[in-house]
Amino acid sequence: MTARVVGVDGCPAGWIAVSIASDGPLAPEVRVHARFADLVAETGDAVLAVDMPIGLPDFIGPEGRGPERPVRQKLGPRQSSVFSVPSRSAVMTEDYRVSCAVASASSEPPRMVAKQCFHLFPKIREIDALMTPALEARIFEVHPELAFWRLNGDAAMTLPKKVKSRPNPAGLDERRALLVRHGFAADDLVRPPRGAAADDLLDAAANALIARRLLKGEAKSFPAEPARDARGLRIAIWA
């Protein structure tokens, strides 16, 4: 049986996972999992490329969490898609106002929390509860726009996926066409499963191609020499 790798993105119903063959024709399989722990258990020893922050510093300095600035530098007009993730204590807070206060007290210069980032906190906590340094051999943080940048010859996509929080058909088509050039069939990319949106499917598919690069040792980390948080977790985005 051909080995598989998996690209993962958060979605309204939990986590959308696009599994592809580790080499040769992609033969994609798409599933939605309610819990990240179930996804990890059901994928055996497959490499997972996950669009969600992994590794949370106790304090955020002027350079940010670590991967964010070098990734933004690659993305040009798409750099706003890279959120500023606050300290671990802020992420563990479930009230937005309290989270902003904690984030401000644990950063220099003081920073609040963007609402879009705050809405990711439950999923960040879900991964954080499971992650260990040992799992880093198969679970890697990625970012879809950095994945598309890599797949596009190290050039950022020209169009946004969303405009005013609504899907941008032209931006989705641009990314879909790029994925087709990398081996997906167009029909694989137009019908997301229940509980996931069109952009979730495209992002997970792009992440799956980065998972192939990870398995082959071709992916690079941003930054090149990642720091680790107090739990020993690597803080890096890969592409």
Side-chain angles (χ1 to χ4, degrees), residues 182-211:
H182 281 272
F184 281 94
D187 286 349
D188 295 331
L189 304 169
V190 293
R191 289 181 291 276
R194 180 177 296 184
D199 60 314
D200 301 327
L201 174 59
L202 297 180
D203 288 351
N207 294 343
L209 292 171
I210 300 302

Side-chain angles (χ1 to χ4, degrees), residues 3-162:
R4 311 285 291 180
V5 296
V6 185
V8 184
D9 191 43
C11 65
W15 305 86
I16 182 171
V18 174
S19 169
I20 61 174
S22 60
D23 203 6
L26 300 182
E29 300 172 359
V30 183
R31 289 192 60 191
V32 169
H33 301 257
R35 299 172 63 246
F36 187 72
D38 294 339
L39 191 163
V40 172
E42 292 175 21
T43 50
D45 59 356
V47 168
L48 306 183
V50 185
D51 173 26
M52 201 59 63
I54 298 172
L56 302 170
D58 290 335
F59 187 85
I60 304 294
E63 298 296 312
R65 188 172 67 106
E68 293 153 5
R69 178 169 290 188
V71 168
R72 289 191 189 108
Q73 291 171 348
K74 302 295 184 185
L75 297 185
R78 306 280 76 80
Q79 64 181 278
S80 62
S81 65
V82 183
F83 300 145
S84 295
V85 179
S87 65
R88 174 179 291 280
S89 54
V91 171
M92 297 301 155
T93 303
E94 297 185 10
D95 178 270
Y96 179 65
R97 291 184 180 179
V98 175
S99 180
C100 284
V102 173
S104 181
S106 55
S107 59
E108 181 59 46
R111 294 186 184 92
M112 306 286 272
V113 179
K115 267 288 180 66
Q116 286 176 298
C117 187
F118 176 76
H119 292 316
L120 296 178
F121 284 4
K123 282 185 165 58
I124 299 175
R125 292 193 292 263
E126 190 179 346
I127 288 186
D128 186 71
L130 184 74
M131 278 300 298
T132 65
L135 278 174
E136 290 176 352
R138 61 176 292 238
I139 301 176
F140 297 79
E141 177 183 348
V142 297
H143 189 284
E145 287 305 306
L146 189 68
F148 285 118
W149 167 85
R150 181 66 83 193
L151 299 172
N152 196 39
D154 297 359
M157 305 306 289
T158 59
L159 300 171
K161 279 184 302 192
K162 292 185 176 180

